Amino acid sequence: MAELIDRYTRTRILFGNAFEHIQNKKVIVFGVGGVGGFVVDCLYRSGLKNITIVDKDCFDVTNQNRQIGSEHLNMPKVEVLTQIYEGITPIQERVDKVFLTQFDIMKFDYIIDAIDDIYAKVEIAKIASNKPFGKYIVSTGSAKKLNPLQIQVSSIWKTYGDKFARKFRDHLKKADIKKPFKAVFSPEVPKCKNLGSFSAVTASFGLTIASEIIQHIIKEEHYA
């Protein structure tokens, strides 16, 4: 039988029988900036067909050092990414308690939080932390850092060396959220005081999240 040649050819070689399983998963990504945009890019290229993205913002000039699609100034991020990645579902909304009450995020197989609003992150966690471990992943602080080799993955309660992650943990405790869930973080010492950012790190956060999801799906399929 002749080998099928298309944009997924090399992906099929690597993923094997798990490829079809990967294609059928449903994923929602909150925040499609320097981290979330690369989550979407990697998952889309890996074969996922059902990706929903949620972000209220438009691109501005300061996004252009790290965000996919940011050459389209003043355009909604979700609209631009929908043009780049055919078939994904865009939602241009603010993520808050009202939105999450009206929209069922638990219907998705994987939930990714790549936003930088602590209060919104807590609202997502109130719901998504009920997912099995590995099916809900959050990004912590990716700004002010230079070395992607320091990026780690652990339970949110085992993160360390990052002020953003610590603040997030404090708010989770106040909200009485105790369940463990995956977090991507870096204990690297900040290299500046203001909110500087470096694509090698922010993109690596996103690619790490995507890799965790793909590996989880493959493992799930292997033991099914």
Side-chain angles (χ1 to χ4, degrees), residues 66 116 143-144 192-197:
R66 69 197 185 284
D116 54 13
K144 307 180 183 181
C192 60
K193 290 185 178 180
N194 295 325
L195 205 58
S197 56

Side-chain angles (χ1 to χ4, degrees), residues 12 20 27 49 54 60 71 85 101 106 134 141 145 156 168 173 183 185 201-205 211-212:
R12 286 194 191 89
E20 184 176 348
V27 176
K49 293 182 175 181
V54 186
D60 66 57
E71 63 272 18
Y85 307 107
T101 300
M106 292 297 281
K145 298 170 185 180
I156 184 62
F168 184 32
K173 291 176 184 176
F185 72 101
V201 174
T202 56
S204 294
F205 263 66
S211 175
E212 287 293 314

